[in-house]
């Protein structure tokens, strides 16, 4: 029972363009959402988070949008850079329960 | 240079054998976690520990065991009872237990069955 889904296993964008990574969840109890980034041979690292009381959180080139009614969140990277090429995991949480998506592999082409 | 180390990077298990995956952190974190990742799936929680000498089962604890005798160490044993152990295993830690606590991950151990 996957409560958090990232339906696009991979995404390829051109350097300088916008990257949009999507994530859907099913449990309406989730109230805190995170994005992690993973390079090959390394563990995931925290990127950005958002609480359910907000609909947007921005940190430099990274912005996370939350649409609670649609149970959907997205990560926007603008402008995309080759160093952003990695696997991105979204996670949703409630209380002490955290669920991860399967990840989306982003490739930014020079 | 603080962080989480996992060893080995690759581990091979024979049928009926127990194997232990190492996880060490020098971040002085209280909480530690073990996750399993399979192709096309998200990370799934195996066990977590909030404090030394205490640990709790996650969603897929069957066939696994852990110990937390020291704050910095949280080894995971994959027992022979785990019928499908081939996966990528990630260890993580956080300052406290709570979903708003950022988790820091190790590089992972890939377990393969011979």
């Amino acid at each position: 029972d996957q409560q958090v889904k990232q339906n696009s296993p991979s995404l390829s964008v051109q350097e300088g363009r916008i990257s949009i990574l999507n994530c859907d969840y099913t449990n309406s109890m989730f109230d805190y959402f995170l994005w992690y980034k993973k390079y090959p041979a390394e563990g995931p690292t925290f990127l950005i988070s958002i609480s359910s009381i907000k609909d947007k959180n921005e940190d430099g080139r990274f912005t996370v949008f939350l649409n609670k009614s649609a149970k959907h969140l997205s990560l926007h990277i603008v402008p995309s850079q080759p160093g952003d090429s990695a696997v991105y995991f979204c996670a949703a949480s409630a209380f002490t329960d955290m669920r991860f998506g399967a990840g989306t592999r982003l490739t930014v082409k020079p | 240079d603080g962080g989480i180390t996992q060893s080995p990077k690759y581990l091979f298990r024979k049928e009926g054998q127990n194997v232990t995956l190492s996880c060490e952190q020098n971040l002085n974190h209280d909480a530690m976690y073990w996750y399993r990742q399979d192709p096309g799936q998200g990370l799934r929680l195996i066990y977590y520990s909030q404090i030394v000498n205490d640990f709790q089962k996650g969603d897929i604890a069957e066939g696994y065991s852990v110990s937390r005798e020291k704050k910095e160490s949280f080894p995971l044993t994959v027992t022979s009872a785990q019928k499908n152990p081939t996966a990528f295993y990630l260890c993580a830690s956080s300052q406290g237990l709570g979903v708003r606590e950022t988790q820091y991950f190790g590089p992972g151990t890939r377990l393969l069955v011979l």
Side-chain angles (χ1 to χ4, degrees), chain A residues 2-93:
Chain A
Q2 285 191 292
Q3 298 186 42
V4 178
K5 293 184 180 180
Q6 294 177 256
N7 291 319
S8 298
S10 63
L11 175 68
S12 181
V13 300
Q14 207 67 34
E15 181 179 5
R17 299 289 186 96
I18 184 172
S19 296
I20 301 177
L21 294 90
N22 294 303
C23 180
D24 297 295
Y25 62 96
T26 58
N27 189 342
S28 58
M29 296 299 292
F30 289 143
D31 62 357
Y32 194 70
F33 305 88
L34 309 93
W35 284 93
Y36 282 82
K37 175 179 178 180
K38 183 183 183 303
Y39 290 118
E42 296 181 14
T45 56
F46 170 75
L47 185 59
I48 192 170
S49 62
I50 187 168
S51 167
S52 60
I53 62 174
K54 294 185 175 182
D55 53 20
K56 175 183 174 181
N57 188 26
E58 193 171 351
D59 183 3
R61 297 185 297 113
F62 302 91
T63 302
V64 56
F65 294 92
L66 176 63
N67 183 334
K68 290 186 290 292
S69 60
K71 295 190 180 69
H72 177 84
L73 66 155
S74 61
L75 175 69
H76 293 211
I77 306 174
V78 184
S80 300
Q81 299 173 354
D84 295 329
S85 296
V87 176
Y88 290 79
F89 293 96
C90 73
S93 62

Side-chain angles (χ1 to χ4, degrees), chain B residues 5-38:
Chain B
T5 56
Q6 290 185 244
S7 61
K9 188 173 181 179
Y10 294 95
L11 187 58
F12 299 92
R13 192 192 93 163
K14 295 181 180 178
E15 292 288 341
Q17 186 182 46
N18 292 356
V19 292
T20 298
L21 286 63
S22 168
C23 177
E24 304 278 331
Q25 56 99 358
N26 60 5
L27 300 168
N28 201 32
H29 284 170
D30 287 318
M32 297 187 74
Y33 314 80
W34 273 105
Y35 292 93
R36 168 179 172 145
Q37 186 183 20
D38 295 281

